[in-house]
Amino acid sequence: MTDPQIVLTERVQQALARAFGPEHADADPLIRPSQFADFQANVAMSLAKRLRRAPREVAEAIKTELADFPGTVEVSGPGFLNITLANPWIEVEAGQMLADPRLGVGTAAPAQTVVIDYSAPNAAKEMHVGHLRTTIVGDALARLHEHLGNKVIRQNHLGDWGTPFGMLIEHLLDIGEQAAVAQLEAGQGTEFYQAARAKFDGDEAFKTRARVRVSTLQSGDPDTLRLWHVFMDATVRFFNKVYDLLGVTLTDADIAGESMYNPMLQKTCDDLEASGTAVLSEGALCVFPPGFTGSDDKPLPLIIRKSDGGYGYATTDMAAIRYRVHDLKADRMLYVVGNEQALHFQMVFAAARQAGWLPDTASPEHVRIGMMLGKDGRRFKTRSGESVKLMDLLQEAIDRAAKLIETRDYDAATQREIAHSVGMAAVKYADLSVSHDSEYVFDLDRMVAMTGNTGPYMQYATARIRSIFRKAGLAPADATASIVLDAPAERALGLHLLGFGELVTQVTLGSEPHRLCAFLFQTASLLSTFYEECPVIKEGVDPDTRDHRLALCALTLRVLETGLDLLGVPVPERM
Ligand code: ARG
């Protein structure tokens, strides 16, 4: 356990127990980073009240018990404890971290089965920019949980079923399978959908055909199912192109679309009805989870079977939650989905709990994803008001990135590789660095900037360190000298790095990748001060200092690269 804040917490708690009795062993010592020392502990003030003693006196008593603490403790003001760690302690911890393949990141004990529902584009429409965030944030969470040793089960809950498929299949037949497949694979899903829709609205005969097709599809007619597969396979091939470009870990094995639940829907409804959880209301089968009311103060229904007998989005999610608990044996279920579906998930979770389908050990959580806005502060759209195509956007990010590096004299293939890496880092990091539930403005200019809390800036920090190692003629893995933190910039960087392990655990448990971004950004900023103040390979730097600094550089590089990798942000060798 290298995180100084945790080490300090334990030490102060032990001191509290010794000074005031064992009942104080679990008190929160209220340790915060401080301007005046490394940390400040504020526990003396709150404790003094309870003990009816003077805060300064309490603080002094704690200080006395911290006599063997590796650092200095001072009482200041009304009873603050200012704590500064001794350099040798930080140096030893940093050295151990450098030797630790896990960089101080713990493993989950016991390991949990974490089901993560993310990406989930709809096949009846094109994968649009709104699915970008759920894909990127979900993938980062999957990587983080896996790193902690949890068993991650990815579930790509594709929108691959429902009434639109009648008209989509008829349209596919009209234009011919080959042409349809080519169009869908090329990411023209929206155009395909719009053409089908136009015929559906304007052509009665087509409309009739589409309706008939919906029922043959639902009745499981083999020919119709084959056509549905043709449509879906081509669509999924396009989704996979997007995932490949983004470096997202989803594969075909992770697809668990709405259609997968079809065979379970009737039983889902029957069981809910039999247990009394669902009741008939105006012909529809509904669950009225307690605590949900509409604007008219009437109980709000979660409709699981419409009055015409049809199943909907909520039915599928009820089947899915039971499947995830029972078949996948989930301990945790994350639903990485847009904010606007918050009510839906609250009701689904409440209904599942009401039905007794959620043991205490399996908690579902909606990881709310905020909307992506255009520069005008409205939902992100093209000038003509259409939703922006994901592929176009990613391509534009890559083109901008290519401009950034066009003056470098790399060969064309290397240029392309770096541009791809920088472009994707720009888009992904921008998505991850704001808290997942807040809205954010999609602004490519800001995303590809080489300064500020951006992907390219983070990549640049790693490239800078790599270039030091190239000049030193040493591989980072071979920088194994001890870490010495004499200069203030070295000390600040070394102390900060020690917090990495605990932070990764916190970020994972709390589904907060933006906090990892903030940590890495702080790392890069401290690195940049170090870089200015502490020459590493300049002439005149004595060999020992150089080796100590190379070791610190190596540790910093590994923290940055590991952190970015956990976020799914690519890192090029050079920039
Ligand atoms: N396909 C849905 C959409 O695009 C998201 C599905 C999310 N997952 C779920 N289990 N409902 O809005």
Side-chain angles (χ1 to χ4, degrees):
M1 188 65 74
T2 43
D3 182 41
Q5 205 152 326
I6 290 190
V7 172
L8 267 178
T9 300
E10 284 172 3
R11 292 288 191 123
V12 175
Q13 283 175 333
Q14 289 159 8
L16 288 172
R18 283 198 297 270
F20 306 106
E23 68 271 26
H24 297 287
D26 306 323
D28 182 356
L30 304 169
I31 290 170
R32 310 274 175 268
S34 159
Q35 279 177 278
F36 308 108
D38 290 337
F39 297 98
Q40 190 174 65
N42 293 347
V43 65
M45 262 83 81
S46 51
L47 191 59
K49 241 184 228 149
R50 262 184 289 143
L51 298 175
R52 297 172 184 280
R53 286 172 64 174
R56 271 194 82 98
E57 200 184 299
V58 172
E60 290 292 348
I62 299 172
K63 180 183 162 175
T64 308
E65 291 298 338
L66 286 171
D68 65 343
F69 178 76
T72 57
V73 182
E74 275 165 15
V75 176
S76 83
F80 301 118
L81 286 160
N82 287 342
I83 303 170
T84 301
L85 292 155
N87 265 17
W89 185 86
I90 307 176
E91 289 165 354
V92 168
E93 293 289 334
Q96 283 173 0
M97 190 175 166
L98 183 63
D100 175 6
R102 292 193 54 83
L103 292 169
V105 180
T107 43
Q112 287 194 313
T113 298
V114 185
V115 172
I116 311 185
D117 179 324
Y118 71 100
S119 192
N122 299 318
K125 291 189 184 154
E126 204 207 327
M127 184 174 184
H128 63 87
V129 68
H131 291 109
L132 187 64
R133 286 192 93 186
T134 71
T135 304
I136 292 171
V137 172
D139 207 50
L141 295 177
R143 288 164 186 263
L144 283 160
H145 276 285
E146 265 169 358
H147 192 64
L148 292 195
N150 286 326
K151 177 180 171 196
V152 172
I153 305 181
R154 295 163 172 78
Q155 295 282 283
N156 193 351
H157 195 94
L158 296 182
D160 63 356
W161 201 255
T163 44
F165 283 88
M167 72 181 193
L168 292 169
I169 291 172
E170 284 305 319
H171 181 58
L172 177 140
L173 286 171
D174 284 359
I175 64 174
E177 280 181 40
Q178 261 193 343
V181 165
Q183 201 183 351
L184 293 165
E185 276 179 353
Q188 306 278 312
T190 307
E191 290 78 353
F192 189 97
Y193 176 88
Q194 283 166 350
R197 180 86 225 181
K199 282 195 279 178
F200 187 86
D201 290 337
D203 175 346
E204 275 308 314
F206 181 85
K207 193 176 203 159
T208 309
R209 274 201 279 144
R211 291 221 163 115
V212 173
R213 188 59 75 176
V214 174
S215 48
T216 48
L217 178 65
Q218 279 166 348
S219 65
D221 166 58
D223 286 336
T224 305
L225 274 180
R226 188 190 67 79
L227 295 169
W228 174 82
H229 273 295
V230 169
F231 178 92
M232 278 312 301
D233 291 352
T235 303
V236 166
R237 276 197 291 278
F238 169 69
F239 291 162
N240 284 338
K241 283 187 204 164
V242 176
Y243 296 149
D244 274 352
L245 198 63
L246 279 169
V248 160
T249 58
L250 285 168
T251 67
D252 287 355
D254 304 316
I255 293 176
E258 294 178 15
S259 65
M260 189 186 94
Y261 297 98
N262 285 343
M264 310 175 203
L265 299 181
Q266 190 184 334
K267 187 159 173 16
T268 300
C269 290
D270 290 350
D271 289 352
L272 287 170
E273 196 173 5
S275 69
T277 312
V279 291
L280 281 169
S281 169
E282 293 168 34
L285 188 62
C286 306
V287 182
F288 292 93
F292 294 90
T293 45
S295 51
D296 51 3
D297 274 348
K298 283 205 198 122
L300 212 56
L302 183 75
I303 300 175
I304 55 171
R305 196 181 60 220
K306 291 177 231 160
S307 52
D308 66 3
Y311 302 120
Y313 190 56
T315 326
T316 307
D317 263 323
M318 289 304 291
I321 200 164
R322 185 152 74 158
Y323 169 77
R324 289 169 189 184
V325 173
H326 277 97
D327 297 64
L328 301 182
K329 309 251 177 294
D331 296 307
R332 254 185 106 170
M333 292 174 277
L334 305 180
Y335 291 76
V336 188
V337 189
N339 248 333
E340 63 281 0
Q341 295 190 32
L343 182 63
H344 166 75
F345 285 114
Q346 281 163 14
M347 292 183 74
V348 166
F349 299 165
R353 205 163 279 126
Q354 201 182 335
W357 292 358
L358 282 182
D360 293 340
T361 47
S363 61
E365 291 153 66
H366 179 196
V367 178
R368 299 173 176 213
I369 299 297
M371 206 199 298
M372 190 127 79
L373 306 175
K375 282 190 189 162
D376 57 1
R378 308 247 200 106
R379 187 187 273 275
F380 192 61
K381 293 247 165 78
T382 57
R383 279 212 194 90
S384 55
E386 285 157 45
S387 67
V388 178
K389 289 194 173 190
L390 202 47
M391 265 308 194
D392 294 351
L393 206 99
L394 297 179
Q395 197 50 55
E396 196 179 337
I398 294 172
D399 293 346
R400 299 266 187 116
K403 288 226 171 61
L404 270 186
I405 54 161
E406 70 191 350
T407 53
R408 318 275 208 280
D409 50 0
Y410 300 130
D411 61 79
T414 311
Q415 284 267 5
R416 262 201 306 282
E417 209 180 295
I418 300 178
H420 173 232
S421 171
V422 174
M424 292 308 95
V427 171
K428 294 180 86 174
Y429 193 89
D431 231 24
L432 292 162
S433 57
V434 289
S435 78
H436 60 72
D437 56 347
S438 55
E439 300 180 326
Y440 86 103
V441 174
F442 192 90
D443 178 358
L444 269 181
D445 293 326
R446 191 181 51 79
M447 291 176 183
V448 300
M450 291 289 280
T451 52
N453 193 8
T454 70
Y457 175 70
M458 300 307 308
Q459 291 181 317
Y460 180 61
T462 66
R464 260 174 126 178
I465 303 179
R466 287 209 171 267
S467 125
I468 293 179
F469 278 103
R470 262 197 304 277
K471 286 181 197 145
L474 187 75
D478 294 331
T480 50
S482 56
I483 289 178
V484 173
L485 305 169
D486 287 336
E490 290 172 316
R491 189 180 184 282
L493 179 57
L495 181 60
H496 171 73
L497 293 174
L498 295 186
F500 181 67
E502 178 59 20
L503 182 99
V504 168
T505 303
Q506 295 301 328
V507 159
T508 309
L509 295 181
S511 305
E512 297 174 304
H514 72 282
R515 287 182 53 206
L516 179 52
C517 292
F519 180 91
L520 296 175
F521 179 56
Q522 171 97 40
T523 308
S525 311
L526 291 169
L527 173 73
S528 145
T529 312
F530 162 80
Y531 202 80
E532 278 159 32
E533 293 176 7
C534 306
V536 182
I537 45 170
K538 255 215 199 111
E539 240 177 282
V541 178
D542 77 85
D544 280 347
T545 304
R546 171 194 133 112
D547 288 350
H548 297 318
R549 289 186 175 163
L550 281 171
L552 182 59
C553 283
L555 182 59
T556 310
L557 179 64
R558 273 178 55 212
V559 165
L560 287 172
E561 289 191 338
T562 306
L564 291 171
D565 185 52
L566 289 176
L567 293 168
V569 174
V571 180
E573 276 275 315
R574 47 178 91 204
M575 268 174 90

